[in-house]
């Protein structure tokens, strides 16, 4: 790996994490005795923890079919993944946030000189508002109330605003512990973007990977948020829906109705959203429109990307990355992710766009 321009502590952390992930990815059972594939080499990647379950399934399937390939994915968070990719420490990044304009204006360590990276959607998933409240099995919330909870303006579960939305629930007179991501997180950015679009009078901070307010309790990564909500009392947090487990999940108000998440309802929002303007033709960053009033849609959704070079400095490594990302964005990979992580498969139209973009990768 090309680690120049990357800070030493970060390089050590990523190298250690990828080494551990390499051990884990190769302990999952014996590989087939024979493989028709001639691919060989190692791919190192890092980024969105939301993709964690899907990446585990993708890696297992791809390595089984391509026994000469080793893939390591460190679910270190979207911000850390983009930072590592920009510095040349990994071959691609997983990110719930597409590249910012200022990131695109810089250099990319693994890419050929004077070339840029592109954002390719590979994973669509609802974000679940997970909760663990004593005596409460079902919870309805609208976006303004969610914003006030995470901003610290509503501090107890029996607040009149929550009671009004849940007249049949016995809400405790207990303090709310609202858990957010402590690391730079694309899940946070998507959560904040939903509140910024639907409750702008309350959520006045521009969406970004860092959580914007000095409130609540911070936890590292998706697993950290899930653990904090699970092990705490009267807690609420946000996480990729694939990790909700047995926790309660709040229903969101959409068009005057309270709706739960489904993969199909999340995918519907993505399908009706445009691409970000002003990008290269093969950059498929999506500008999510979360203002729907259609209760068959679930607007608290994330689109997670594989961020790859348009042209790699090492052409052979580029072909290896291209093969893997083509698999995860294709029908087989999307089916595996839907089965193992509960994600929404890319629409045929979006899948075709990703395939066409990958054809341009060198």
């Amino acid at each position: 790996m090309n680690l120049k321009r990357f800070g030493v502590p970060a390089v050590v952390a990523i190298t250690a994490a990828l080494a551990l992930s390499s051990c884990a990815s190769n302990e999952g059972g014996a590989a087939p005795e024979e493989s028709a594939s001639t691919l060989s080499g190692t791919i190192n990647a890092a980024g969105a923890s939301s993709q964690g379950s899907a990446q585990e399934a993708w890696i297992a399937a791809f390595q089984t079919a391509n026994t000469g390939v080793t893939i390591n994915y460190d679910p270190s968070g979207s911000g850390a993944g983009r930072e590592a990719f920009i510095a040349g420490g990994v071959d691609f990044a997983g990110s719930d946030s597409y590249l910012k304009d200022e990131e695109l204006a810089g250099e990319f360590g693994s890419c050929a000189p004077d070339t840029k990276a592109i954002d390719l959607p590979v994973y669509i998933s609802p974000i679940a508002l997970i909760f663990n409240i004593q005596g409460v099995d079902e919870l309805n919330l609208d976006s303004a109330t969610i914003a006030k909870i995470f901003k610290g303006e509503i501090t107890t579960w029996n607040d009149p605003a929550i009671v009004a939305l849940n007249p049949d629930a016995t809400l405790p007179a207990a303090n709310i512990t609202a858990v957010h991501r402590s690391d730079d997180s694309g899940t946070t950015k998507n959560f904040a973007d939903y509140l910024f679009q639907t409750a702008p009078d309350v959520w006045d901070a521009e969406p970004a990977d860092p959580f914007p307010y000095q409130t609540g309790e911070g936890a590292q990564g998706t697993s950290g948020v899930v653990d904090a909500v699970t092990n705490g009392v009267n807690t609420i947090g946000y996480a990729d829906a694939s990790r909700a487990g047995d926790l309660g999940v709040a229903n969101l108000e959409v068009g005057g109705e309270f709706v739960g998440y489904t993969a199909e309802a999340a995918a519907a929002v993505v399908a009706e959203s445009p691409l970000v303007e002003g990008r290269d033709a093969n950059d498929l960053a999506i500008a999510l429109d979360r203002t729907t009033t259609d209760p068959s849609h679930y607007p608290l959704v994330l689109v997670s990307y594989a961020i790859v070079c348009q042209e790699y400095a090492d052409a052979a490594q580029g072909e290896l990355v291209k093969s893997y990302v083509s698999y995860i964005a294709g029908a087989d990979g999307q089916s595996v992710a839907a089965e193992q992580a509960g994600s929404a498969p890319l629409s045929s139209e979006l899948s075709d766009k990703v395939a066409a973009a990958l054809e341009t990768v060198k």
Side-chain angles (χ1 to χ4, degrees):
M1 292 189 296
N2 173 16
L3 297 176
K4 64 184 179 180
R5 296 176 53 240
F6 208 56
V8 171
V11 170
V12 171
I14 288 172
T15 302
L18 290 173
L20 288 172
S21 109
S22 176
C23 293
S25 66
N26 288 290
E27 289 175 354
E33 292 183 5
E34 295 182 356
S35 172
S37 171
T38 59
L39 288 175
S40 64
T42 298
I43 298 173
N44 290 312
S49 57
S50 62
Q51 289 187 25
S53 298
Q55 285 288 351
E56 289 176 7
W58 286 331
I59 289 169
F62 193 83
Q63 289 183 164
T64 297
N66 302 275
T67 56
V69 178
T70 298
I71 304 169
N72 307 310
Y73 185 82
D74 177 18
S76 52
S78 297
R82 292 199 312 279
E83 182 182 351
F85 175 71
I86 288 168
V90 294
D91 300 307
F92 77 88
S95 179
D96 301 338
S97 297
Y98 52 75
L99 288 164
K100 296 178 284 190
D101 289 342
E102 54 266 37
E103 290 173 326
L104 281 171
E107 297 179 357
F108 295 89
S110 292
C111 303
D114 301 320
T115 64
K116 301 299 180 185
I118 53 175
D119 306 278
L120 301 177
V122 295
Y123 181 82
I124 298 171
S125 180
I127 298 173
L129 270 175
I130 52 177
F131 68 86
N132 181 11
I133 308 169
Q134 289 183 319
V136 178
D137 295 323
E138 187 167 347
L139 184 67
N140 296 326
L141 295 172
D142 59 22
S143 58
T145 303
I146 296 165
K148 290 177 181 178
I149 288 171
F150 281 87
K151 200 175 176 182
E153 295 178 2
I154 290 177
T155 58
T156 59
W157 282 114
N158 66 342
D159 186 278
I162 304 177
V163 171
L165 299 171
N166 299 273
D168 298 326
T170 303
L171 293 159
N175 290 333
I176 297 172
T177 299
V179 184
H180 60 265
R181 290 280 290 271
S182 60
D183 54 321
D184 283 3
S185 160
T187 306
T188 292
K189 186 174 182 179
N190 280 273
F191 175 68
D193 186 53
Y194 161 70
L195 296 175
F196 189 72
Q197 288 193 36
T198 59
D201 292 342
V202 181
W203 198 270
D204 53 2
E206 290 276 352
D209 287 357
F211 187 80
Y213 301 111
Q214 301 299 313
T215 58
E217 176 182 327
Q220 174 76 28
T222 301
S223 59
V225 171
V226 172
D227 289 346
V229 173
T230 301
N231 298 322
V233 179
N234 298 316
T235 50
I236 187 169
Y238 55 88
D240 185 87
S242 67
R243 303 293 297 277
D246 295 329
L247 289 165
V249 176
N251 301 311
L252 303 185
E253 187 275 325
V254 182
E257 298 183 23
F258 290 101
V259 301
Y261 74 81
T262 66
E264 294 76 17
V269 173
V270 178
E272 296 180 8
S273 297
L275 294 179
V276 175
E277 295 181 353
R279 303 249 166 165
D280 288 352
N282 56 354
D283 188 308
L284 302 179
I286 297 171
L288 288 169
D289 180 1
R290 307 179 191 274
T291 59
T292 180
T293 57
D294 184 342
S296 70
H297 291 37
Y298 185 84
L300 184 49
V301 59
L302 64 82
V303 176
S304 203
Y305 300 88
I307 299 176
V308 305
C309 296
Q310 295 194 48
E311 181 177 350
Y312 279 82
D314 182 335
Q317 194 67 13
E319 285 301 312
L320 192 58
V321 172
K322 181 175 177 177
S323 295
Y324 179 61
V325 176
S326 294
Y327 161 70
I328 68 177
D332 289 345
Q334 291 294 294
S335 177
V336 165
E339 181 179 347
Q340 298 297 322
S343 62
L346 303 181
S347 68
S348 57
E349 180 183 4
L350 185 54
S351 182
D352 288 345
K353 288 180 179 178
V354 174
L358 280 165
E359 284 297 315
T360 70
V361 172
K362 301 177 183 177

